[in-house]
Amino acid sequence: MEIIDIDLADPAMRRDFFAVETEVVRHDVPGAWERSYESFEKFAMQPDGRYNRRFRFGALVDGRLAGTVEMWHPLEDNTHLADVSIAVRPQARGGGVGSALMGRVEQICAAHGRTTLVGELDVPVGQDFRTTPGGAFATGRGFESVHTEDQLVLDLPADTAALAQAAARATAGYEIVLWGDRCPDEHVAGFCAMRTQMSSDVPTGGIDVQPVAFDEERLRTGEQHRANGWTSIVAAAVRRHDRIMGGYSMLRLPHGGDLVAQDDALVMPEHRGHRLGTALKLATLDVVRREHPERRAVHTWTEPSNHAMQRTNRDFGYQPRSVLHKMQRKR
């Protein structure tokens, strides 16, 4: 076995790296979220920026890539943290590939002062995460499940006609503003305030992570970075009488794919309780229906105790697909 750095400039190596990830997802949790290759390629080929440093490496067994690691180190905040994703082909499991990759992860984290490792483990509904190959591997190396989210899927096209009346009432005093990859200049300050609120409000369970404050530079950097591999659809509610933003919903569409990811969905505290979130989600889905008819499903992730969002998801017709465990190990 040989541990190698992944040279993303090599097209064959890029495809092999992506193939491992896809094979593992389809084997372990059929129907779970998948990146498209085009999105991965364009996103991965970008140089590291101010906010994150990336590491990608793999394990060669008999000249074939048997497992991979993708790891992110935040650089401006949460500098104690390393976000780690390990994938081992099903037929290569049990032969020390995961352990060898984890050893390289630990070496890099020690060299860069990273004391908290976090990763994600997707588990079919109703299955004990500790009985899965990934769960057994993680818990055997000191990781604990510190937070869970339900992964829910909405097949497209979706029948949302029954929600239109509630949405109309919710937005009676608001203007719904739509944009794509770039927030209009006149909404930057309000949008940054909502993104900062989202970072504080999003449930994180026992994850050792601190909220992130958004300013224009962080916002614009993120927009430019994502636009290379994703199409964004954002709907924001602006209250008519004072032009204050009351909430937003954001979808991400990987280039070259047929799925949609529901990213942030937030209603600011003083605007809650009136189904504004429903109206915002409807607005983004309407854009998908009109402009991206090739998309076949929307995936969303919701914390089990977030009852308001769970109710909204049920109203739309989302169905449970898996449970996402946030795994963590602190040194």
Side-chain angles (χ1 to χ4, degrees):
M1 185 189 309
E2 179 185 4
I3 304 299
I4 62 166
D5 290 326
I6 300 297
D7 179 9
L8 293 176
D10 182 338
M13 190 169 285
R14 285 201 305 273
R15 288 200 171 274
D16 285 348
F17 185 93
F18 183 78
V20 172
E21 174 185 309
T22 302
E23 183 178 331
V24 168
V25 170
R26 293 178 180 178
H27 177 272
D28 291 355
V29 191
W33 172 259
E34 293 183 29
R35 296 190 285 187
S36 69
Y37 179 74
E38 182 179 343
S39 176
F40 159 76
E41 182 178 46
K42 290 182 177 179
F43 199 68
M45 291 297 289
Q46 299 177 88
D48 290 341
R50 168 181 169 181
Y51 298 103
N52 289 282
R53 181 177 181 183
R54 298 171 294 178
F55 301 84
R56 292 186 178 93
F57 48 92
L60 285 179
V61 177
D62 296 329
R64 185 169 186 251
L65 197 60
T68 61
V69 167
E70 186 170 36
M71 179 164 57
W72 296 76
H73 286 186
L75 299 178
E76 289 282 315
D77 46 68
N78 292 296
T79 55
H80 64 293
L81 201 65
D83 192 324
V84 182
S85 176
I86 299 179
V88 178
R89 293 184 188 271
Q91 65 271 25
R93 293 170 180 171
V97 172
S99 295
L101 291 170
M102 190 66 200
R104 176 73 176 274
V105 167
E106 291 168 340
Q107 290 174 356
I108 295 172
C109 288
H112 292 269
R114 305 289 160 153
T115 57
T116 298
L117 277 65
V118 296
E120 295 183 346
L121 176 66
D122 214 16
V123 178
V125 173
Q127 186 170 351
D128 185 339
F129 77 94
R130 290 164 292 194
T131 67
T132 67
F137 176 83
T139 55
R141 284 151 185 81
F143 284 81
E144 299 177 292
S145 175
V146 295
H147 179 64
T148 62
E149 296 177 5
D150 295 329
Q151 185 191 180
L152 309 167
V153 180
L154 176 65
D155 290 331
L156 296 177
D159 182 4
T160 57
L163 299 175
Q165 188 174 0
R169 289 196 300 268
T171 57
Y174 294 85
E175 176 188 354
I176 301 298
V177 180
L178 290 162
W179 67 81
D181 295 328
R182 192 178 193 277
C183 175
D185 291 342
E186 63 267 28
H187 296 305
V188 165
F191 192 45
C192 283
M194 291 197 296
R195 296 290 300 273
T196 298
Q197 181 79 36
M198 181 71 190
S199 181
S200 298
D201 284 4
V202 64
T204 56
I207 305 174
D208 183 17
V209 61
Q210 297 300 313
V212 172
F214 276 81
D215 57 17
E216 183 172 1
E217 181 178 358
R218 182 183 283 271
L219 175 68
R220 294 304 191 201
T221 299
E223 288 175 337
Q224 183 178 9
H225 192 59
R226 282 187 299 271
N228 287 316
W230 301 73
T231 295
S232 296
I233 301 171
V234 183
V238 181
R239 195 160 56 192
R240 296 183 189 276
H241 77 267
D242 59 9
R243 309 307 295 171
I244 290 177
M245 283 188 158
Y248 73 102
S249 180
M250 182 186 307
L251 299 180
R252 307 288 192 202
L253 286 64
H255 293 174
D258 59 4
L259 299 178
V260 179
Q262 173 70 59
D263 203 335
D264 294 352
L266 171 77
V267 176
M268 296 291 274
E270 64 271 25
H271 301 261
R272 292 173 184 168
H274 306 289
R275 306 300 299 275
L276 192 56
T278 296
L280 290 166
K281 284 195 169 189
L282 275 175
T284 56
L285 280 178
D286 191 48
V287 176
V288 174
R289 178 186 60 79
R290 295 194 316 267
E291 301 180 9
H292 304 277
E294 79 284 356
R295 303 289 160 157
R296 61 180 176 83
V298 184
H299 288 240
T300 191
W301 295 262
T302 305
E303 204 263 347
S305 65
N306 187 346
H307 301 300
M309 190 57 68
Q310 291 280 11
R311 183 189 71 173
T312 297
N313 290 334
R314 287 195 299 271
D315 289 346
F316 274 88
Y318 279 91
Q319 297 296 316
R321 181 63 51 84
S322 63
V323 177
L324 182 68
H325 289 259
K326 299 285 189 174
M327 308 297 293
Q328 177 173 275
R329 189 182 79 182
K330 299 175 68 174
R331 188 174 67 192

